[in-house]
Amino acid sequence: MLEIPVTIFTINFAQIYTSNIPLSHRKLANHYLTRGTPANLRRTFPVTLCEKGKWVTVDSSPSSIHGYPEYDRLFPRRSTVQPPRVEHVVVLEEGPVCDYISRTLDLPPLYVADLIRFGAVHYALVHPEPPAIATLEEIKVYEKFTSPAMLRHRQSIKGKTFREAQKTFRITHAGDIVEVGTYLRVYVHPRRFPRCYEVDWKSRIVAVTGSYVVLDKPAGTSVGGTSNNIEETCVNFAARALGLRNSLMTTHQIDNCTEGCVVLARTEKFSSVFHGMIREKLVKKLYLALATAPVSCGVITHYMRPAKLAPRIISEDYVEGWQLCQLEVLECNKVPWPKSVIEAKYQIEDCGWPVKKYAYECKINLLTGRTHQIRAQLASCGAPLLGDSMYMPAALEELIDPRVNPFGKRKRKYSCDDDKRIAIEKWISLHGKEPSIAIGLQACQISWDNDVQIYKSGLPWWR
């Protein structure tokens, strides 16, 4: 008989669920994992398992090199990237949500509990309308569970409109009860931010007051979280580094691949006040952008297509309904292209950029704060940011054939709307994926109250 200590549940979950440990041993391990054990034992002892006739010891104790607590069950700091996997489930039997997902998707219960803690499980009282690419089977499920006969017996939706009942929310507790007909969206492989465990967070704190914290955000991290990961965030790790009992709150965002100053609120009052200052344009933000080509000083104006998803498409000419984008280039200085060892450290992708001897460091005053604004605008000027694997491929194509950009200065004349639509779809497809860690962009300074409050980040990664 295989003897496994009662502290088996402390094992790194990925090593049980995704390793080469025999299935029979994984099942036995999961049997012990589902039995509750006092929390004070969970992070203290290594675990021993038998693998192919030999014993292997798995150390589950915290291993952060800076001493901050790690979240050590949902495969922390994985060396391989899990492919996206999203499951859409309709509840057929009332009960605890964790148990139901575990049975339905054949996932270990504690793995599902971890997904819930990560914010990777969402629900709606009524099944949302399926997308255009939905299969016939998915459409049939939607029609069945949104039929009047089915909805008539749902007490939870009494007094709500159909649209209100279709709104999605996060599941927050593994023991939450879900009723028959509830829709669940489960991100089985949430997006991870391993850099959270590599950063010396105390060294990134710029200022601490009773109302807010200013953080020099590292590249490759999320300020407040994503749709499927609210655990590995700047607000959580900064609060832990400072030993704060109450959580911090986001007041504004910068891209995951951007580093630099962000203001995190400690109180609801300051959060509300700071949001108001941003709306009134009383907060000034300066950026350092490391461009691949020189950029002229002065104000640059574009118009951005309103859309929720990247890439953000911009136009040189005014388009009705599109958002105004303006930035001011204050300086543009020629600097050496970063050394290969630095590029490797931050996983910088050159995307085949032809000349890599010099780069151009621009100081930018952001006049309007649109998502990806600096990245999209400089790429449109033929000077994409170094390492920006999303906008650089399209900029390269435009260098080869300026007419390929249907919103550029040298765009083609289209004989009909269908031709232009096809050209726009092609232009969007030329953009690449989001960068892995960093791009040449830093929020180097933030200020408000007419520069009475002014904070600066440290040196950018490329210096």
Side-chain angles (χ1 to χ4, degrees), residues 144-162:
K144 174 182 177 180
F145 286 93
T146 56
S147 66
M150 178 67 71
L151 297 179
R152 193 178 301 123
H153 303 289
R154 300 281 306 278
Q155 293 298 318
S156 61
I157 64 175
K158 299 295 183 183
K160 295 182 175 66
T161 66
F162 189 74

PDB file of all heavy atoms in Angstrom, residues 144-162:
ATOM      1  N   LYS A 144     -32.979  25.940 -25.146  1.00  0.00           N
ATOM      2  CA  LYS A 144     -33.658  25.128 -24.136  1.00  0.00           C
ATOM      3  C   LYS A 144     -33.708  25.852 -22.798  1.00  0.00           C
ATOM      4  O   LYS A 144     -34.766  25.912 -22.152  1.00  0.00           O
ATOM      5  CB  LYS A 144     -32.932  23.789 -23.979  1.00  0.00           C
ATOM      6  CG  LYS A 144     -33.484  22.926 -22.845  1.00  0.00           C
ATOM      7  CD  LYS A 144     -32.701  21.635 -22.703  1.00  0.00           C
ATOM      8  CE  LYS A 144     -33.234  20.819 -21.513  1.00  0.00           C
ATOM      9  NZ  LYS A 144     -32.483  19.546 -21.341  1.00  0.00           N
ATOM     10  N   PHE A 145     -32.576  26.419 -22.374  1.00  0.00           N
ATOM     11  CA  PHE A 145     -32.511  26.997 -21.038  1.00  0.00           C
ATOM     12  C   PHE A 145     -32.958  28.458 -20.973  1.00  0.00           C
ATOM     13  O   PHE A 145     -32.954  29.059 -19.903  1.00  0.00           O
ATOM     14  CB  PHE A 145     -31.098  26.838 -20.468  1.00  0.00           C
ATOM     15  CG  PHE A 145     -30.795  25.430 -20.041  1.00  0.00           C
ATOM     16  CD1 PHE A 145     -30.192  24.546 -20.909  1.00  0.00           C
ATOM     17  CD2 PHE A 145     -31.174  24.980 -18.786  1.00  0.00           C
ATOM     18  CE1 PHE A 145     -29.932  23.240 -20.530  1.00  0.00           C
ATOM     19  CE2 PHE A 145     -30.928  23.678 -18.395  1.00  0.00           C
ATOM     20  CZ  PHE A 145     -30.301  22.803 -19.259  1.00  0.00           C
ATOM     21  N   THR A 146     -33.324  29.015 -22.107  1.00  0.00           N
ATOM     22  CA  THR A 146     -33.916  30.362 -22.098  1.00  0.00           C
ATOM     23  C   THR A 146     -35.373  30.324 -22.552  1.00  0.00           C
ATOM     24  O   THR A 146     -35.974  31.373 -22.789  1.00  0.00           O
ATOM     25  CB  THR A 146     -33.116  31.317 -23.010  1.00  0.00           C
ATOM     26  OG1 THR A 146     -33.060  30.770 -24.333  1.00  0.00           O
ATOM     27  CG2 THR A 146     -31.709  31.531 -22.480  1.00  0.00           C
ATOM     28  N   SER A 147     -35.932  29.137 -22.672  1.00  0.00           N
ATOM     29  CA  SER A 147     -37.334  29.022 -23.072  1.00  0.00           C
ATOM     30  C   SER A 147     -38.244  29.481 -21.940  1.00  0.00           C
ATOM     31  O   SER A 147     -37.893  29.362 -20.758  1.00  0.00           O
ATOM     32  CB  SER A 147     -37.658  27.573 -23.424  1.00  0.00           C
ATOM     33  OG  SER A 147     -37.556  26.752 -22.270  1.00  0.00           O
ATOM     34  N   PRO A 148     -39.399  30.047 -22.251  1.00  0.00           N
ATOM     35  CA  PRO A 148     -40.335  30.508 -21.205  1.00  0.00           C
ATOM     36  C   PRO A 148     -40.687  29.407 -20.211  1.00  0.00           C
ATOM     37  O   PRO A 148     -40.813  29.665 -19.009  1.00  0.00           O
ATOM     38  CB  PRO A 148     -41.563  30.954 -22.009  1.00  0.00           C
ATOM     39  CG  PRO A 148     -41.017  31.320 -23.359  1.00  0.00           C
ATOM     40  CD  PRO A 148     -39.893  30.370 -23.604  1.00  0.00           C
ATOM     41  N   ALA A 149     -40.816  28.172 -20.693  1.00  0.00           N
ATOM     42  CA  ALA A 149     -41.170  27.068 -19.803  1.00  0.00           C
ATOM     43  C   ALA A 149     -40.095  26.844 -18.746  1.00  0.00           C
ATOM     44  O   ALA A 149     -40.394  26.533 -17.585  1.00  0.00           O
ATOM     45  CB  ALA A 149     -41.376  25.793 -20.621  1.00  0.00           C
ATOM     46  N   MET A 150     -38.828  27.002 -19.133  1.00  0.00           N
ATOM     47  CA  MET A 150     -37.727  26.812 -18.195  1.00  0.00           C
ATOM     48  C   MET A 150     -37.598  28.008 -17.250  1.00  0.00           C
ATOM     49  O   MET A 150     -37.425  27.850 -16.042  1.00  0.00           O
ATOM     50  CB  MET A 150     -36.421  26.600 -18.966  1.00  0.00           C
ATOM     51  CG  MET A 150     -35.189  26.433 -18.083  1.00  0.00           C
ATOM     52  SD  MET A 150     -35.202  24.920 -17.106  1.00  0.00           S
ATOM     53  CE  MET A 150     -34.922  23.701 -18.394  1.00  0.00           C
ATOM     54  N   LEU A 151     -37.708  29.219 -17.794  1.00  0.00           N
ATOM     55  CA  LEU A 151     -37.503  30.420 -16.986  1.00  0.00           C
ATOM     56  C   LEU A 151     -38.640  30.641 -15.989  1.00  0.00           C
ATOM     57  O   LEU A 151     -38.440  31.287 -14.959  1.00  0.00           O
ATOM     58  CB  LEU A 151     -37.363  31.641 -17.904  1.00  0.00           C
ATOM     59  CG  LEU A 151     -36.163  31.638 -18.857  1.00  0.00           C
ATOM     60  CD1 LEU A 151     -36.174  32.894 -19.717  1.00  0.00           C
ATOM     61  CD2 LEU A 151     -34.855  31.536 -18.099  1.00  0.00           C
ATOM     62  N   ARG A 152     -39.812  30.103 -16.284  1.00  0.00           N
ATOM     63  CA  ARG A 152     -40.975  30.324 -15.430  1.00  0.00           C
ATOM     64  C   ARG A 152     -40.748  29.792 -14.013  1.00  0.00           C
ATOM     65  O   ARG A 152     -41.298  30.298 -13.054  1.00  0.00           O
ATOM     66  CB  ARG A 152     -42.188  29.647 -16.069  1.00  0.00           C
ATOM     67  CG  ARG A 152     -43.523  30.057 -15.461  1.00  0.00           C
ATOM     68  CD  ARG A 152     -44.668  29.382 -16.197  1.00  0.00           C
ATOM     69  NE  ARG A 152     -44.665  29.731 -17.610  1.00  0.00           N
ATOM     70  CZ  ARG A 152     -44.603  28.858 -18.602  1.00  0.00           C
ATOM     71  NH1 ARG A 152     -44.504  27.558 -18.336  1.00  0.00           N
ATOM     72  NH2 ARG A 152     -44.626  29.255 -19.862  1.00  0.00           N
ATOM     73  N   HIS A 153     -39.908  28.794 -13.874  1.00  0.00           N
ATOM     74  CA  HIS A 153     -39.699  28.164 -12.569  1.00  0.00           C
ATOM     75  C   HIS A 153     -38.444  28.669 -11.849  1.00  0.00           C
ATOM     76  O   HIS A 153     -38.108  28.170 -10.788  1.00  0.00           O
ATOM     77  CB  HIS A 153     -39.598  26.642 -12.746  1.00  0.00           C
ATOM     78  CG  HIS A 153     -40.790  26.037 -13.420  1.00  0.00           C
ATOM     79  ND1 HIS A 153     -42.017  25.934 -12.804  1.00  0.00           N
ATOM     80  CD2 HIS A 153     -40.954  25.523 -14.677  1.00  0.00           C
ATOM     81  CE1 HIS A 153     -42.880  25.374 -13.639  1.00  0.00           C
ATOM     82  NE2 HIS A 153     -42.257  25.114 -14.780  1.00  0.00           N
ATOM     83  N   ARG A 154     -37.762  29.671 -12.417  1.00  0.00           N
ATOM     84  CA  ARG A 154     -36.523  30.177 -11.823  1.00  0.00           C
ATOM     85  C   ARG A 154     -36.831  31.306 -10.855  1.00  0.00           C
ATOM     86  O   ARG A 154     -37.055  32.457 -11.246  1.00  0.00           O
ATOM     87  CB  ARG A 154     -35.582  30.679 -12.925  1.00  0.00           C
ATOM     88  CG  ARG A 154     -35.157  29.638 -13.946  1.00  0.00           C
ATOM     89  CD  ARG A 154     -34.049  28.751 -13.414  1.00  0.00           C
ATOM     90  NE  ARG A 154     -32.919  29.506 -12.934  1.00  0.00           N
ATOM     91  CZ  ARG A 154     -31.954  29.995 -13.714  1.00  0.00           C
ATOM     92  NH1 ARG A 154     -31.988  29.807 -15.023  1.00  0.00           N
ATOM     93  NH2 ARG A 154     -30.942  30.662 -13.182  1.00  0.00           N
ATOM     94  N   GLN A 155     -36.809  31.005  -9.558  1.00  0.00           N
ATOM     95  CA  GLN A 155     -37.100  32.013  -8.544  1.00  0.00           C
ATOM     96  C   GLN A 155     -36.053  33.130  -8.517  1.00  0.00           C
ATOM     97  O   GLN A 155     -36.353  34.273  -8.213  1.00  0.00           O
ATOM     98  CB  GLN A 155     -37.183  31.349  -7.158  1.00  0.00           C
ATOM     99  CG  GLN A 155     -38.359  30.410  -6.966  1.00  0.00           C
ATOM    100  CD  GLN A 155     -39.687  31.134  -7.110  1.00  0.00           C
ATOM    101  OE1 GLN A 155     -39.852  32.249  -6.606  1.00  0.00           O
ATOM    102  NE2 GLN A 155     -40.636  30.507  -7.794  1.00  0.00           N
ATOM    103  N   SER A 156     -34.814  32.796  -8.851  1.00  0.00           N
ATOM    104  CA  SER A 156     -33.718  33.766  -8.749  1.00  0.00           C
ATOM    105  C   SER A 156     -33.838  34.913  -9.743  1.00  0.00           C
ATOM    106  O   SER A 156     -33.199  35.958  -9.562  1.00  0.00           O
ATOM    107  CB  SER A 156     -32.374  33.072  -8.960  1.00  0.00           C
ATOM    108  OG  SER A 156     -32.323  32.486 -10.254  1.00  0.00           O
ATOM    109  N   ILE A 157     -34.629  34.746 -10.801  1.00  0.00           N
ATOM    110  CA  ILE A 157     -34.722  35.817 -11.799  1.00  0.00           C
ATOM    111  C   ILE A 157     -36.019  36.608 -11.683  1.00  0.00           C
ATOM    112  O   ILE A 157     -36.298  37.467 -12.526  1.00  0.00           O
ATOM    113  CB  ILE A 157     -34.566  35.251 -13.231  1.00  0.00           C
ATOM    114  CG1 ILE A 157     -35.722  34.309 -13.571  1.00  0.00           C
ATOM    115  CG2 ILE A 157     -33.233  34.554 -13.388  1.00  0.00           C
ATOM    116  CD1 ILE A 157     -35.685  33.826 -15.017  1.00  0.00           C
ATOM    117  N   LYS A 158     -36.811  36.319 -10.671  1.00  0.00           N
ATOM    118  CA  LYS A 158     -38.037  37.084 -10.466  1.00  0.00           C
ATOM    119  C   LYS A 158     -37.707  38.565 -10.254  1.00  0.00           C
ATOM    120  O   LYS A 158     -36.821  38.916  -9.478  1.00  0.00           O
ATOM    121  CB  LYS A 158     -38.804  36.560  -9.260  1.00  0.00           C
ATOM    122  CG  LYS A 158     -39.257  35.103  -9.362  1.00  0.00           C
ATOM    123  CD  LYS A 158     -40.270  34.902 -10.484  1.00  0.00           C
ATOM    124  CE  LYS A 158     -40.767  33.458 -10.523  1.00  0.00           C
ATOM    125  NZ  LYS A 158     -41.689  33.218 -11.647  1.00  0.00           N
ATOM    126  N   GLY A 159     -38.404  39.425 -10.970  1.00  0.00           N
ATOM    127  CA  GLY A 159     -38.182  40.864 -10.836  1.00  0.00           C
ATOM    128  C   GLY A 159     -37.058  41.397 -11.689  1.00  0.00           C
ATOM    129  O   GLY A 159     -36.803  42.604 -11.690  1.00  0.00           O
ATOM    130  N   LYS A 160     -36.359  40.537 -12.423  1.00  0.00           N
ATOM    131  CA  LYS A 160     -35.259  40.967 -13.288  1.00  0.00           C
ATOM    132  C   LYS A 160     -35.697  40.871 -14.743  1.00  0.00           C
ATOM    133  O   LYS A 160     -36.465  39.998 -15.126  1.00  0.00           O
ATOM    134  CB  LYS A 160     -34.018  40.092 -13.080  1.00  0.00           C
ATOM    135  CG  LYS A 160     -33.383  40.192 -11.708  1.00  0.00           C
ATOM    136  CD  LYS A 160     -32.131  39.324 -11.635  1.00  0.00           C
ATOM    137  CE  LYS A 160     -31.408  39.502 -10.310  1.00  0.00           C
ATOM    138  NZ  LYS A 160     -32.183  39.003  -9.176  1.00  0.00           N
ATOM    139  N   THR A 161     -35.167  41.792 -15.553  1.00  0.00           N
ATOM    140  CA  THR A 161     -35.399  41.675 -16.987  1.00  0.00           C
ATOM    141  C   THR A 161     -34.508  40.563 -17.540  1.00  0.00           C
ATOM    142  O   THR A 161     -33.559  40.117 -16.887  1.00  0.00           O
ATOM    143  CB  THR A 161     -35.062  42.988 -17.716  1.00  0.00           C
ATOM    144  OG1 THR A 161     -33.638  43.232 -17.610  1.00  0.00           O
ATOM    145  CG2 THR A 161     -35.824  44.158 -17.109  1.00  0.00           C
ATOM    146  N   PHE A 162     -34.829  40.123 -18.736  1.00  0.00           N
ATOM    147  CA  PHE A 162     -34.041  39.058 -19.368  1.00  0.00           C
ATOM    148  C   PHE A 162     -32.583  39.482 -19.492  1.00  0.00           C
ATOM    149  O   PHE A 162     -31.667  38.701 -19.202  1.00  0.00           O
ATOM    150  CB  PHE A 162     -34.638  38.740 -20.735  1.00  0.00           C
ATOM    151  CG  PHE A 162     -34.049  37.527 -21.393  1.00  0.00           C
ATOM    152  CD1 PHE A 162     -34.363  36.261 -20.945  1.00  0.00           C
ATOM    153  CD2 PHE A 162     -33.183  37.657 -22.462  1.00  0.00           C
ATOM    154  CE1 PHE A 162     -33.820  35.130 -21.549  1.00  0.00           C
ATOM    155  CE2 PHE A 162     -32.637  36.546 -23.083  1.00  0.00           C
ATOM    156  CZ  PHE A 162     -32.959  35.282 -22.619  1.00  0.00           C
TER     157      PHE A 162
END
